Amino acid sequence: MKDTSDVSGNTATPAKHNDPADPSAAPAASRTPAGPVAPSAGAPRARNGKSAPTIYDIAARAGVNPSTVSRALSKPGRVSAKTQKKIEDAAEALNYRVNVFARALPTGRTHSIGLIVSDITDPAFFDVLRGAEAAASARSYTLMLAESTESAELELTAAQRMLATVDGIILASPRLSDAEIVELAQQKPVVVVNRLVDGVDSLVADTEAGVTEAVCHLSAQGHKSLAYVAGPDKSWMSKRRWESIRARCEWSGMNVTVVASGVPTVDGGRRAAAAVRSSGATAVFCYNDLMAIGLMRELQLAGIKVPEDMSILGFDNIFGSDFTTPPLSTIKSPLREAGDAAVRNILDKLYSPEPGASPGPLLTELVLRGSSGPAAGTAH
């Protein structure tokens, strides 16, 4: 249990395929004589009105054939290190950018992975994004981000649009039905974060460890009656957290009730304040830290002291959860690790003939701060 209460040469022969970037793959009648040529009138243009640099420009600058440039840029290692360096230096000097969609034509790979989150404003997803981006970048992949604003319909639309432009999709806390997620997974590799879906690779943190620590802590502080402010109705994780809390409270002989809210935001926490007060609970769990912050603020405005009158705990340990007064106690979720593992899972599916190693256990842990303490009227 973590306690932070005190801290308020030789070139290889190219493969024969229809690579639009490789002139050697073009029909004989359309092949260009050796040496660079001027770009066509229809060549893409940069923002300054000039034609964007091509592999012919790079070839002229580096003093090599265009086909050598194509090999060097599409599959590094197929030319000598010296030639590779000359080509890369020329490309950088010309500000050349590879057209990933043209590269995808012969391979079917866009070197992009999609990440769809339910709410882009929720800081809990920041760590998922950081972990996924770091893992993708390490393999020269680009991460494409979209959000569903808690809408299953918008989530499905975003996923369907991404299918044509990415090699795989990560769904973080999705609101889609299991059947819809399975259908997506039949078209491209899909990994689900914060939810279990049969037949689809899923990454879910073990809520039991953190919840057990938290309930034992509250019990030791004299609390007998608890409440849980739930998240969205379609949130699988909200239900999972409630089940863990209820089971642990029953085992500990504590009363617990659920308070409906449905909006996983600061405002959603505020709206739940009246119901929390009338529940008779002396300690309350919130679906996430944002709701816990909103609840804390609303209770304080009503003259209720935290934690003297009411102990409050959140989930996720988001950035800023220790900025409140008092700092928020919370159950930390390994979200960055989940983002990293999701990308690695997709890349293993794409490039490894054998299943990749399973990620280590994703464990939650209690982070104690100032918003939880002894039950009112209990001497400690």
Side-chain angles (χ1 to χ4, degrees):
M1 180 173 68
K2 182 179 179 180
D3 188 342
T4 64
S5 57
D6 291 334
V7 180
S8 129
N10 291 324
T11 62
T13 301
K16 295 299 182 181
H17 52 59
N18 294 325
D19 187 341
D22 189 345
S24 68
S30 64
R31 288 183 186 170
T32 305
V37 299
S40 67
R45 294 183 176 273
R47 290 186 179 181
N48 59 10
K50 297 180 180 180
S51 296
T54 69
I55 63 170
Y56 301 101
D57 300 316
I58 299 173
R61 189 179 185 97
V64 299
N65 288 327
S67 59
T68 304
V69 175
S70 178
R71 291 195 298 274
L73 296 181
S74 61
K75 291 186 177 180
R78 296 178 64 186
V79 301
S80 69
K82 181 179 178 180
T83 301
Q84 182 78 36
K85 181 67 165 56
K86 288 170 59 178
I87 291 171
E88 290 178 351
D89 288 346
E92 183 177 357
L94 293 169
N95 198 30
Y96 175 81
R97 295 291 181 268
V98 176
N99 185 326
V100 295
F101 294 105
R103 177 187 286 181
L105 291 177
T107 66
R109 302 274 168 80
T110 66
H111 287 78
S112 300
I113 293 175
L115 170 60
I116 305 177
V117 300
S118 54
D119 182 359
I120 203 170
T121 66
D122 187 343
F125 292 117
F126 295 174
D127 280 342
V128 176
L129 177 57
R130 290 189 183 100
E133 168 60 25
S137 180
R139 296 283 292 272
S140 298
Y141 259 71
T142 298
L143 197 66
M144 300 177 64
L145 179 65
E147 73 160 327
S148 66
T149 61
E150 299 289 348
S151 166
E153 181 180 358
L154 292 178
E155 188 168 78
L156 182 58
T157 298
Q160 289 172 336
R161 287 173 177 170
M162 277 187 169
L163 284 174
T165 58
V166 300
D167 295 339
I169 297 176
I170 302 169
L171 300 173
S173 298
R175 304 302 183 230
L176 293 173
S177 67
D178 284 8
E180 289 170 322
I181 294 175
V182 170
E183 184 176 350
L184 289 173
Q186 292 171 346
Q187 301 175 69
K188 289 284 179 75
V190 170
V191 176
V192 180
V193 175
N194 274 354
R195 177 171 163 184
L196 287 176
V197 179
D198 289 341
V200 179
D201 287 348
S202 306
L203 295 167
V204 178
D206 178 13
T207 60
E208 300 295 333
V211 166
T212 297
E213 283 188 280
V215 172
C216 288
H217 160 69
L218 294 173
S219 177
Q221 296 293 315
H223 295 276
K224 301 296 183 183
S225 182
L226 277 59
Y228 172 66
V229 181
D233 292 337
K234 290 186 177 182
S235 171
W236 181 92
M237 182 55 73
S238 179
K239 296 180 179 66
R240 175 68 169 262
R241 288 171 176 173
W242 163 240
E243 290 167 357
S244 295
I245 292 170
R246 180 176 59 186
R248 182 50 54 181
C249 285
E250 289 177 354
W251 187 88
S252 301
M254 304 168 72
N255 297 319
V256 63
T257 185
V258 63
V259 174
S261 174
V263 185
T265 62
V266 171
D267 189 54
R270 288 194 178 108
R271 295 179 188 180
V276 168
R277 293 185 64 181
S278 63
S279 70
T282 59
V284 56
F285 288 95
C286 290
Y287 163 69
N288 65 14
D289 290 341
L290 290 179
M291 299 180 78
I293 291 169
L295 175 64
M296 184 189 301
R297 289 177 177 175
E298 193 68 15
L299 291 177
Q300 289 172 331
L301 286 174
I304 297 175
K305 297 179 180 179
V306 178
E308 292 84 355
D309 302 324
M310 179 77 69
S311 287
I312 301 177
L313 298 90
F315 273 90
D316 295 330
N317 191 35
I318 63 171
F319 175 79
S321 58
D322 57 343
F323 293 176
T324 57
T325 304
L328 182 66
S329 292
T330 183
I331 296 176
K332 179 181 179 181
S333 297
L335 299 174
R336 181 163 188 151
E337 292 85 345
D340 175 277
V343 168
R344 293 177 183 275
N345 181 292
I346 288 177
L347 294 177
D348 283 343
K349 286 178 177 294
L350 292 170
Y351 296 101
S352 300
E354 299 295 332
S358 299
L362 300 174
L363 302 176
T364 56
E365 63 174 307
L366 175 63
V367 179
L368 276 179
R369 299 193 181 107
S371 69
S372 59
T378 303
H380 278 265

